[in-house]
Amino acid sequence: MISNVIAGNWKMNHGPSATRKFFEDFFPDLSFPEPRILIFPPAISLLAAVEARKGRPEVALGIQNIYWEPKGAYTGEHAAGMAVSAGAEYVLVGHSERRHVFGETDEQVQQKVLAAFGEGLIPLICVGETLEERQDNRVDEVIVRQIRAALNGIPETATQFLLAYEPVWAIGTGETATPSDAGSAHGILRDVMTEILGGDRASEVPILYGGSVNSSNVSDLLDVPNVNGVLVGNASLDASSFAAIAESA
Ligand code: 13P
């Protein structure tokens, strides 16, 4: 399994010129090319990112969202095949902002996962509970439901994908799950995957933690069993802070 995956989700930040500037600053800051780095710029900045990271195969690019239809009258959406032809290798699916700001359902997440596999895009599937669900002791129930729905019907041949556990209350708040909370959620996700996919396949899937990750807390999180990488929001926007996270990993 690839471990120590360092992924940056820029959300709705950095247009094409800010993207070029990020990479100009990022590569000189990055002295440790070991970890696998994934960057998810806004779709409109993908081509600028492809150009800017030429010759640096340790950095792969992804799109933040896709629609499941291959083409058609879906104003504002991007198909999986279009993302591939723009240079994306990965796609975020089921991010909490898609679920909670845009009302994406478990079924829609599943359709997007299938569409990604259909076009050879590698999905990074996000799950996580809200604060209310955590306070109601429903963490296990929520993440198990989300992962089961997302993996429902995936083809036998679909071997390559990643998961991210991103508790909604930890996103953009400065609050991070404790290593013990992260370990418990990641352990559950590994167990459910083992049940669905079998041990050999499940052990190959990196599970990333996301939610207020920065260069000070990344090492402790990566020490937790079944935490195989991190998905970073705010701290991935600045080239030197994201490089510092990659270095700490
Ligand atoms: P923050 O790192 O800003 O909390 O965001 C996490 C996230 O949502 C990454 O997808």
Side-chain angles (χ1 to χ4, degrees):
M1 182 213 299
I2 352 166
S3 59
N4 285 7
V5 179
I6 308 297
N9 172 13
W10 288 357
K11 308 188 180 185
M12 200 173 72
N13 296 284
H14 290 349
S17 43
T19 295
R20 284 187 280 271
K21 174 83 176 81
F22 174 93
F23 282 102
E24 271 166 32
D25 296 341
F26 181 61
F27 285 130
D29 279 348
L30 188 70
S31 59
F32 192 72
E34 276 287 306
R36 184 63 165 147
I37 294 171
L38 312 181
I39 297 184
F40 294 86
I44 204 165
S45 302
L46 203 44
L47 288 175
V50 167
E51 275 298 307
R53 72 97 214 224
K54 264 198 181 130
R56 300 297 299 241
E58 73 272 28
V59 176
L61 299 169
I63 190 162
Q64 295 174 12
N65 180 40
I66 50 167
Y67 191 58
W68 52 83
E69 293 293 346
K71 63 177 182 172
Y74 305 103
T75 301
E77 296 293 327
H78 302 96
M82 292 159 59
V84 171
S85 80
E89 291 173 63
Y90 293 81
V91 57
L92 286 180
V93 186
H95 189 276
S96 79
E97 286 142 25
R98 299 296 322 169
R99 293 179 191 266
H100 298 291
V101 181
F102 299 101
E104 209 164 283
T105 63
D106 285 343
E107 290 69 29
Q108 291 171 335
V109 169
Q110 182 216 10
Q111 282 181 280
K112 291 181 180 197
V113 169
L114 293 177
F117 281 132
E119 294 292 342
L121 258 186
I122 303 171
L124 197 177
I125 302 164
C126 306
V127 300
E129 81 287 356
T130 61
L131 182 60
E132 200 183 0
E133 289 163 340
R134 171 162 285 265
Q135 286 167 341
D136 288 348
N137 288 322
R138 293 177 51 221
V139 178
D140 303 9
E141 173 207 314
V142 170
I143 64 176
V144 168
R145 189 201 75 223
Q146 291 175 335
I147 187 65
R148 280 194 191 286
L151 298 183
N152 186 16
I154 65 165
E156 285 278 317
T157 48
T159 47
Q160 237 195 328
F161 68 96
L162 301 89
L163 286 191
Y165 170 60
E166 295 205 305
V168 180
W169 48 270
I171 295 180
T173 58
E175 281 197 50
T176 319
T178 61
S180 133
D181 287 341
S184 148
H186 284 232
I188 290 165
L189 293 173
R190 183 77 64 204
D191 289 348
V192 175
M193 278 197 297
T194 303
E195 190 194 306
I196 299 174
L197 304 172
D200 288 351
R201 258 171 105 193
S203 66
E204 286 302 310
V205 179
I207 309 176
L208 279 47
Y209 168 79
S212 298
V213 174
N214 57 43
S215 57
S216 314
N217 58 27
V218 64
S219 309
D220 285 347
L221 287 160
L222 289 173
D223 278 346
V224 177
N226 284 311
V227 176
N228 313 116
V230 286
L231 178 53
V232 187
N234 269 325
S236 72
L237 294 176
D238 176 71
S240 59
S241 104
F242 194 49
I245 292 174
E247 300 278 315
S248 313

